[in-house]
């Protein structure tokens, strides 16, 4: 635990090891965090990645924040999702976080 943020496993995990990084100061939007709070959260993301790697050995990660109801935010206290990903957890992982808008998920370059 840090002075400005802490981490906890997600109660509604979408994959094994799904973890949240949460600033201690109550603020709804990621964009309202101070630079020091952002730095503390990033430090914790890196620490948690090492823990998750050791415990679950995932093949990849998605890192994300929902800001506002239109983006799916339902708890109005900033929290950053660290979502471990595993080969085969979805049929076609191309597009990653783009899958939040399904019609734009699969694309060609």
């Amino acid at each position: 635990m840090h002075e400005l943020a802490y981490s906890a496993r997600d109660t509604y995990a979408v994959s094994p090891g799904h973890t949240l990084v949460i600033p201690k100061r109550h603020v709804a939007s990621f964009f309202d965090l101070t630079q020091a709070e952002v730095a503390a959260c990033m430090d914790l993301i890196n620490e948690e990645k090492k823990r998750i790697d050791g415990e679950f050995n995932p093949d990849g990660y998605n890192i994300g924040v929902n800001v506002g109801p239109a983006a799916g935010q339902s708890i109005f206290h900033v929290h950053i999702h660290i979502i471990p990903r595993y080969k085969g957890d979805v049929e076609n992982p191309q597009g990653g976080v783009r899958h939040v808008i399904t019609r734009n998920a699969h694309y060609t370059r």
Side-chain angles (χ1 to χ4, degrees), residues 3-90:
E3 181 180 322
L4 298 176
Y6 65 98
S7 60
R9 291 285 162 84
D10 193 304
T11 307
Y12 300 99
V14 298
S15 69
H18 183 170
T19 300
L20 301 174
V21 170
I22 306 162
K24 290 183 181 178
R25 185 171 66 95
H26 183 78
V27 59
S29 173
F30 176 85
F31 299 106
D32 291 334
L33 294 175
T34 66
Q35 288 296 86
E37 289 167 328
V38 170
C41 288
M42 294 307 295
D43 286 345
L44 267 177
I45 287 170
N46 285 312
E47 288 177 25
E48 285 301 323
K49 186 227 184 257
K50 291 176 188 171
R51 283 189 191 99
I52 295 165
D53 283 348
E55 187 173 348
F56 297 97
N57 195 34
D59 300 301
Y61 285 90
N62 290 115
I63 309 295
V65 182
N66 301 325
V67 180
Q73 186 176 11
S74 59
I75 296 174
F76 295 92
H77 182 125
V78 176
H79 53 287
I80 303 164
H81 294 264
I82 306 169
I83 303 172
R85 298 297 305 273
Y86 302 89
K87 289 179 184 167
D89 64 1
V90 296

